[in-house]
Amino acid sequence: MKMAASQGTVGPAVALQSHHYPNVAHWNPGVMHQQQHPLHTARSLERALEDAVCSGMLNISGRKLRDYPGLNYDLTDTTQADLSKNRFCEIPPEVCIFAPLESLNLYHNCIKVVPEAIINLQMLTYLNISRNQLSVLPKFLFSLPLKVLVVSNNKLLSIPEEIGKAKDLMELDISCNEIQVLPAQMGKLLALRELNIRRNCLQVLPDELSDLPLIRLDFSCNKITEIPISYRKLKQLQHIILDNNPMQSPPAQICLKGKIHIFKYLNLQACHLDKKTDSLDLPSLGKRCLPQQLTDRYLQPCLSFSCLCPFVTFSRGNRQDLSSTEPSFTMRRKMEHLREEMEQIRLLQQNLESRLKVLLPDDVGAALMDGVVLCHLANHIRPRSVASIHVPSPAVPKLSMAKCRRNVENFLDACKKLGVPQDKLCLPHHILEERGLVKVGVTVQALLDLPSSKPNQLSTM
């Protein structure tokens, strides 16, 4: 019995130690019990500050600091600063003059106010100020070029309308606060890919979010009863997390089945609304309703418009048999094939944008043709995989075909060396001539599936 009890006490500690907390430093329970000599602690702090002067990366995490220790060091060239897990009551004013600062981690402190001096950090793209004591997000915060903002586990009651000015924001985490309403201006965050509003006091999801290119949406643990029908337009959405809400529309049993069934429900609701708008009297059609197989096929999120095609005939008063309105077998095969290709190209774009933290134009083929983005992706997976990349310049905004081909060949060579199987490698003309984006997508997916070292938190692209 004693052995079982001992094992039981070890288990939770091991589980907690191995748990992954995104965007914050890992916490090691064993470190908290190690008692270091004060002199050794002071020396290690001095060494950390000296290293920061040379490297531009300041790491003084987990030292129980109340006051900023770097007054006697020239740290004005710092690009990344980790001040997490200390006892700072404010953001040190000295940090707010680090003009080149790109990443600032203030996780788990006692900060109550964001100072206006933070607007000096006009290179800041990553800010983590979660697990503090903020009750207000200041308006001036959104004048920064932030790509990632994490303010979870605070005491926020609202989000200012000025958040709509954060045009570069790609990830927003405002979970575990006391927010009751989301501003409509969030619909202007046209770069936003991931939104976490978990564990707040929200009752309504704003329609404006349906215009965003979201890949991940988490609104679990709120008081939301309905997903707006307009959310069927979130065609890039891969993950939707909505547990612990009193859902009524869609019903809970549909929500449990997952994203595909949720989108089918929203599309059906949209069809019902359209039929009402057209004053379509379905009971007068007798038993001539659409077969389940046909509705399932044409009610996919990316082809929701096709579910209206059979109804158009009825709304015009033409009561011909359903068999004459059903698309031919060949047409259905072509539409299905086209849908699959569109899905694969969309997935290729999402993979590139989420990994490199960039926005690509709608014409993905043209964006990849010069090989620059693909070479950056290879270097993101494994640094220096492509030693030299030809890039456009203000003087020469478009690369010559020879330089484009060199980039593409270097990318494919890097894929081979990294271990991408030969049967999953595309050919140069698939990229250079924009004639095989689906095959390019297969190569990129195979590259992303390779085991690799952890990439930098912020892309150097």
Side-chain angles (χ1 to χ4, degrees):
M1 293 298 292
K2 291 182 179 179
M3 182 178 292
S6 175
Q7 290 175 346
T9 57
V10 172
V14 174
L16 182 59
Q17 185 173 355
S18 63
H19 188 74
H20 176 63
Y21 290 88
N23 298 330
V24 299
H26 292 289
W27 174 62
N28 188 339
V31 174
M32 302 298 292
H33 300 291
Q34 297 176 359
Q35 293 190 0
Q36 297 180 340
H37 193 280
L39 181 60
H40 293 168
T41 304
R43 286 177 179 173
S44 67
L45 180 58
E46 291 176 0
R47 189 159 50 248
L49 293 169
E50 291 169 357
D51 291 343
V53 173
C54 300
S55 66
M57 293 184 288
L58 174 64
N59 187 345
I60 52 175
S61 173
R63 296 179 181 270
K64 301 181 181 180
L65 299 172
R66 296 180 184 273
D67 300 313
Y68 177 68
L71 296 177
N72 297 325
Y73 297 84
D74 182 9
L75 300 173
T76 53
D77 291 333
T78 302
T79 59
Q80 297 185 23
D82 187 351
L83 282 65
S84 62
K85 293 184 291 185
N86 284 293
R87 297 175 181 174
F88 293 114
C89 294
E90 63 176 1
I91 300 178
E94 294 80 6
V95 174
C96 294
I97 61 173
F98 294 171
L101 194 65
E102 299 175 1
S103 173
L104 177 58
N105 189 351
L106 296 164
Y107 163 77
H108 211 315
N109 279 280
C110 306
I111 299 169
K112 296 182 179 180
V113 177
V114 178
E116 191 168 1
I118 200 172
I119 63 176
N120 295 324
L121 306 178
Q122 286 299 314
M123 299 290 288
L124 193 67
T125 57
Y126 175 89
L127 176 61
N128 186 342
I129 196 169
S130 60
R131 202 169 289 278
N132 278 277
Q133 300 176 20
L134 297 177
S135 58
V136 174
L137 281 183
K139 301 176 181 179
F140 51 78
L141 183 64
F142 302 105
S143 64
L144 297 175
L146 293 173
K147 291 185 177 180
V148 178
L149 176 60
V150 184
V151 287
S152 59
N153 290 281
N154 279 280
K155 301 178 181 179
L156 300 177
L157 298 175
S158 63
I159 300 296
E161 295 179 354
E162 284 72 14
I163 192 174
K165 297 179 180 179
K167 303 297 185 182
D168 298 324
L169 196 62
M170 300 186 72
E171 297 181 24
L172 176 61
D173 186 348
I174 52 176
S175 61
C176 302
N177 282 283
E178 301 169 21
I179 301 168
Q180 298 182 1
V181 178
L182 296 178
Q185 286 75 8
M186 287 184 63
K188 298 180 180 179
L189 302 177
L190 299 182
L192 196 64
R193 294 293 187 269
E194 298 187 19
L195 176 60
N196 189 346
I197 51 179
R198 178 179 182 271
R199 200 175 291 282
N200 277 282
C201 304
L202 299 170
Q203 297 184 12
V204 177
L205 292 172
D207 280 323
E208 289 78 8
L209 296 185
S210 63
D211 297 325
L212 303 181
L214 289 176
I215 295 176
R216 181 182 179 88
L217 174 61
D218 184 347
F219 58 89
S220 57
C221 303
N222 279 280
K223 301 176 182 178
I224 294 168
T225 59
E226 180 179 358
I227 300 178
I229 294 177
S230 59
Y231 278 35
R232 73 190 191 281
K233 296 188 294 183
L234 293 172
K235 301 187 191 312
Q236 299 186 36
L237 194 66
Q238 295 180 8
H239 305 283
I240 180 169
I241 306 171
L242 44 72
D243 53 290
N244 291 302
N245 280 290
M247 294 302 302
Q248 297 178 9
S249 178
Q253 61 268 27
I254 290 181
C255 294
L256 289 173
K257 294 181 179 180
K259 185 193 72 168
I260 293 179
H261 291 271
I262 292 173
F263 272 84
K264 281 186 178 182
Y265 176 89
L266 296 178
N267 279 298
L268 279 171
Q269 294 297 105
C271 287
H272 291 326
L273 288 178
D274 288 339
K275 286 184 285 183
K276 289 181 180 179
T277 303
D278 293 338
S279 300
L280 179 61
D281 184 16
L282 281 180
S284 65
L285 299 177
K287 297 184 179 180
R288 284 180 293 181
C289 57
L290 293 178
Q292 185 63 33
Q293 183 180 4
L294 184 61
T295 56
D296 284 348
R297 177 173 300 170
Y298 289 101
L299 285 177
Q300 297 296 329
C302 62
L303 286 179
S304 58
F305 62 88
S306 60
C307 71
L308 300 177
C309 297
F311 292 117
V312 172
T313 306
F314 293 131
S315 63
R316 291 178 179 175
N318 185 354
R319 300 202 173 189
Q320 56 188 349
D321 291 336
L322 180 63
S323 58
S324 62
T325 65
E326 182 178 353
S328 66
F329 176 78
T330 303
M331 181 62 69
R332 292 201 308 272
R333 287 292 299 273
K334 288 182 178 179
M335 292 176 65
E336 189 71 18
H337 182 68
L338 178 61
R339 183 185 69 82
E340 292 175 356
E341 286 193 352
M342 290 172 62
E343 284 294 329
Q344 293 176 15
I345 294 172
R346 188 179 295 115
L347 180 60
L348 168 64
Q349 182 176 2
Q350 291 171 2
N351 283 333
L352 293 171
E353 291 181 339
S354 61
R355 280 304 183 103
L356 297 177
K357 304 295 187 209
V358 297
L359 287 178
L360 297 178
D362 292 336
D363 190 353
V364 182
L368 303 183
M369 188 177 66
D370 59 8
V372 175
V373 173
L374 296 173
C375 287
H376 278 295
L377 177 66
N379 284 344
H380 185 79
I381 299 297
R382 189 71 57 83
R384 294 180 293 279
S385 298
V386 180
S388 176
I389 306 175
H390 295 284
V391 297
S393 65
V396 185
K398 188 174 182 180
L399 295 181
S400 65
M401 182 53 68
K403 291 183 177 179
C404 292
R405 177 172 291 277
R406 206 164 297 130
N407 280 343
V408 169
E409 291 174 348
N410 288 341
F411 165 71
L412 294 176
D413 288 341
C415 290
K416 291 180 184 177
K417 294 177 182 177
L418 291 175
V420 174
Q422 184 68 35
D423 60 337
K424 293 188 177 181
L425 281 175
C426 64
L427 298 175
H429 75 269
H430 292 146
I431 304 173
L432 295 168
E433 300 176 14
E434 306 178 49
R435 294 174 57 184
L437 279 182
V438 173
K439 296 182 179 179
V440 177
V442 171
T443 302
V444 168
Q445 188 63 56
L447 180 62
L448 296 177
D449 290 340
L450 293 174
S452 62
S453 57
K454 186 176 180 181
N456 291 332
Q457 191 172 45
L458 290 176
S459 171
T460 57
M461 184 171 176

